[in-house]
Amino acid sequence: MRVLVTGAAGFIGATLVDLLRRRGTIGGRAVTALALVDQSVADAGDALAISGDLAEAATLRAIADFQADVVFHLAAVPGGAAEADPALGRRVNLDASLSLFELLAASGRRPVLVYASSIAVYGANLPDLVTPQTPLRPPLTYGAHKQVCEILLADFTRRGAIDGRSVRLPGIVARPGNGTGLVSAFMSDILYALRDGKPFVCPVGPASTAWWMSTSRCTENLLHAAVMDVPAGEAARAWPLPVLRLSMAEVITTCAKLYGADRQQVTFQPIPGVEAVFGRYPRLDDAPSRALGLRDDGSADALVRRALGEIE
């Protein structure tokens, strides 16, 4: 099995590549060749490094020559950065993704493509229970582009050119504090602060709820998505990853128990725009995703410990 990962140097991409190297298989099938696509791949090891932008002809030629059987498409400009620079967001998140879809479709190989979509497609003002029938109303450019790519990938799949599987990623933690352009970065920052005994100003209130997942659980789900048996007639080909729905107060209580964190470390200064988009997530009907073998972190304790690299 020949496997290609775009966005391989990113937070989730690097974790996925590490998991692929440690396991060496996907669904019991050996990974015989691995290609890493990114503008800067620090250490490709024995993998093929394809350094460049997906919008560049040379990068697309190298991808075509690799002839992947499975592609994990993670490359993206994150939400805050895409909102600040819509042209960049479109070029990377929409135009480059479509170029990749067209390239893979033209190969005649019908590769499996696991697309990292986002819960950003749902939007704000959600009902008390989000179901597969809940209308998608993305409030940001990032989410709009993700929704468009889901639709396009489903259409390529309908035509038999690609075996597409879009998975909607929730808040993935714990990202390093390196200014990635994610408005939701506070979900990671608070974990580091509470573990390390540092003060933290939270941009959402203590009762604010979000959908959480550790990066290690996320990458395990991505691998599973490549081999899961998709029900016949599944037209949308898009599923939310199962989540833990936790309030900020629950996360703080968990960290207090695990690390002796002082709840007084956290002061709350809610920003209405941030709280409206990232702090009011309702219950999620993720039964269809669980039926396919996708899963959450199991508990708040396990989520935090896995997110901070203490357990796998």
Side-chain angles (χ1 to χ4, degrees):
M1 179 185 296
R2 301 175 66 81
V3 179
L4 182 142
V5 180
T6 75
F11 170 59
I12 297 173
T15 306
L16 176 62
V17 170
D18 179 66
L19 181 60
L20 280 166
R21 282 177 161 152
R22 285 189 285 113
R23 290 195 178 172
T25 63
I26 301 178
R29 294 180 57 191
V31 176
T32 56
L34 179 62
L36 311 181
V37 185
D38 209 300
Q39 290 184 329
S40 59
V41 180
D43 179 16
D46 57 357
L48 171 65
I50 301 176
S51 181
D53 192 309
L54 284 174
E56 297 172 357
T59 303
L60 292 174
R61 282 196 299 271
I63 291 173
D65 291 342
F66 182 70
Q67 298 187 325
D69 301 301
V70 176
V71 176
F72 296 96
H73 182 32
L74 310 178
V77 173
E83 198 67 15
D85 190 343
L88 175 63
R90 171 176 170 163
R91 183 172 67 83
V92 176
N93 296 343
L94 183 57
D95 296 342
S97 294
L98 179 56
S99 295
L100 178 65
F101 296 170
E102 290 175 336
L103 175 75
L104 297 173
S107 71
R109 298 173 60 86
R110 196 174 183 265
V112 170
L113 192 154
V114 178
Y115 174 61
S117 186
S118 168
I119 60 171
V121 300
Y122 289 114
N125 300 316
L126 294 170
D128 292 339
L129 177 65
V130 172
T131 73
Q133 290 73 44
T134 299
L136 305 182
R137 299 189 180 94
L140 301 175
T141 299
Y142 174 78
H145 289 159
K146 290 293 185 181
Q147 182 183 0
V148 170
C149 287
E150 285 187 7
I151 295 169
L152 293 172
L153 184 56
D155 189 56
F156 276 106
T157 302
R158 177 189 62 80
R159 292 190 277 118
I162 297 173
D163 183 353
R165 292 115 186 270
S166 296
V167 289
R168 295 169 183 160
L169 275 55
I172 305 299
V173 293
R175 295 175 181 272
N178 58 0
T180 59
L182 285 164
V183 180
S184 60
F186 70 89
M187 295 173 63
S188 295
D189 295 342
I190 193 170
L191 299 184
Y192 289 119
L194 289 169
R195 182 196 64 183
D196 298 339
K198 296 180 179 179
F200 183 76
V201 178
C202 189
V204 300
S208 296
T209 53
W211 295 341
W212 300 71
M213 179 173 287
S214 70
T215 181
S216 59
R217 180 64 82 220
C218 174
T219 53
E220 289 169 0
N221 280 320
L222 290 172
L223 289 190
H224 179 73
V227 296
M228 65 188 185
D229 292 327
V230 179
E234 179 65 64
R237 308 285 293 198
W239 303 269
L241 291 183
V243 297
L244 293 179
R245 177 178 177 263
L246 301 171
S247 69
M248 295 308 297
E250 289 174 305
V251 171
I252 293 168
T253 296
T254 299
C255 290
K257 180 177 68 174
L258 290 174
Y259 308 115
D262 184 350
R263 292 173 176 81
Q264 301 306 312
Q265 290 172 227
V266 181
T267 56
F268 295 96
Q269 296 181 10
I271 300 172
V274 175
E275 189 163 86
V277 177
F278 298 102
R280 295 177 183 168
Y281 278 97
R283 293 177 298 126
L284 173 67
D285 176 8
D286 50 22
S289 302
R290 294 181 187 276
L292 292 172
L294 302 168
R295 55 189 180 144
D296 62 28
D297 280 280
S299 70
D301 285 28
L303 164 78
V304 171
R305 295 188 64 206
R306 199 175 281 123
L308 295 175
E310 297 175 0
I311 59 174
E312 292 186 0

